[in-house]
Amino acid sequence: MEFKNKFVQEAYNNMIDNIYSIAKIECPTITRGQTHEIINKLEKVKDKYRDYEYWVIIDLTNAYRTVLKLINADNGKIQARDALYLNKLIGEHTDGEKTGFWRDRNVNIHSVNYKPPLLPPTKYQERIEEITKKNKPTFENIIELQADMCKMQMFNDCNKRTSIVFCNAILIQNNLGCIKINDQAKWIDKLLDYYQDNKNLKAFVDFVKNESM
């Protein structure tokens, strides 16, 4: 696939690594080679993998390709509503959860004593628009948004995956690179630290920045 925007083209060329990085948060045992095989052979390899692993990668791929096409469009400007569409694509095969909508139920966070308040959808949109409507957001601004999308639990499910793909779209659109996660377990630990104390946001942002640069 060819794109007229060189930054979008670079993101597409690195698609497998980026999807692998995100998928490994949800499927810790998946390998880059398996990710590559699923993306490129689709139905031919489905029986080799657990349904969950297979569909996590397929749904991420659909969302990732969609967001690159959106950015590449003449008037492609990432908006809050695009987060809902990406959440729908990423959660396409989520069993029993309603994706593609702002969160409409209370949720509990495993491993921490933090319970995100159930907010009106306008609050989720407003937080996203602080960045999408900003003239020149920084890498740090966008990573803070990614952390907040998770902490606020904007969606009923797939918050981590959706937040990374969505914020990668904003990063690519602003020629700021991509979120890259090499140590997924530590990434989750840093995120959970932020859930419990806002003072830990800088440590999370610094960790992501160091992983990504």
Side-chain angles (χ1 to χ4, degrees):
M1 192 176 294
E2 294 185 2
F3 297 92
K4 59 189 177 185
N5 182 312
K6 68 177 183 179
F7 294 100
V8 177
Q9 187 66 57
E10 182 180 357
Y12 178 77
N13 293 344
N14 293 325
M15 180 177 69
I16 290 171
D17 285 327
N18 289 336
I19 290 173
Y20 166 62
S21 171
I22 303 167
K24 199 168 176 65
I25 293 170
E26 197 68 18
C27 306
T29 61
I30 202 80
T31 67
R32 187 191 183 281
Q34 291 169 335
T35 303
H36 183 279
E37 188 175 49
I38 292 171
I39 290 172
N40 285 283
K41 296 185 180 178
L42 300 176
E43 292 298 326
K44 294 180 181 178
V45 298
K46 183 175 181 180
D47 291 341
K48 289 178 62 175
Y49 302 100
R50 292 187 300 115
D51 281 349
Y52 187 68
E53 290 177 340
Y54 179 87
W55 286 116
V56 163
I57 293 172
I58 295 302
D59 292 344
L60 276 170
T61 303
N62 289 337
Y64 195 85
R65 285 177 171 154
T66 296
V67 87
L68 292 182
K69 290 176 184 177
L70 175 64
I71 299 168
N72 195 62
D74 289 334
N75 298 311
K77 180 69 176 174
I78 302 301
Q79 301 179 49
R81 66 173 182 238
D82 296 320
L84 292 178
Y85 184 48
L86 291 175
N87 182 250
K88 180 180 184 299
L89 293 175
I90 289 168
E92 195 74 34
H93 296 91
T94 300
D95 186 25
E97 292 291 353
K98 183 169 65 172
T99 55
F101 300 91
W102 302 115
R103 178 163 62 92
D104 58 6
R105 61 177 177 80
N106 288 315
V107 294
N108 294 311
I109 306 296
H110 299 298
S111 306
V112 293
N113 295 321
Y114 165 72
K115 187 170 183 178
L118 184 59
L119 302 173
T122 52
K123 293 297 182 183
Y124 304 134
Q125 295 174 49
E126 286 169 5
R127 177 64 187 99
I128 291 175
E129 287 172 354
E130 287 177 27
I131 302 304
T132 56
K133 292 187 176 181
K134 195 177 181 72
N135 188 27
K136 290 185 177 180
T138 65
F139 186 92
E140 290 83 358
N141 292 154
I142 298 166
I143 301 310
E144 288 172 358
L145 172 62
Q146 190 268 307
D148 283 346
M149 290 177 75
C150 288
K151 184 166 184 174
M152 295 171 78
Q153 290 287 290
M154 293 186 177
F155 317 102
N156 289 312
D157 201 4
C158 308
N159 285 274
K160 292 190 290 293
R161 283 169 280 166
T162 303
S163 67
I164 296 175
V165 174
F166 181 73
C167 288
N168 266 343
I170 304 173
L171 286 166
I172 295 165
Q173 188 173 60
N174 287 277
N175 303 332
L176 294 172
C178 277
I179 297 169
K180 298 171 187 171
I181 307 167
N182 299 307
D183 188 336
Q184 287 80 8
K186 191 169 183 179
W187 180 87
I188 291 173
D189 286 344
K190 293 285 186 184
L191 186 61
L192 292 177
D193 287 344
Y194 172 52
Y195 285 4
Q196 297 182 97
D197 192 334
N198 288 344
K199 293 178 181 177
N200 293 321
L201 177 58
K202 185 178 185 303
F204 175 80
V205 172
D206 288 347
F207 173 76
V208 175
K209 187 173 182 179
N210 289 335
E211 289 269 289
S212 302
M213 296 303 180

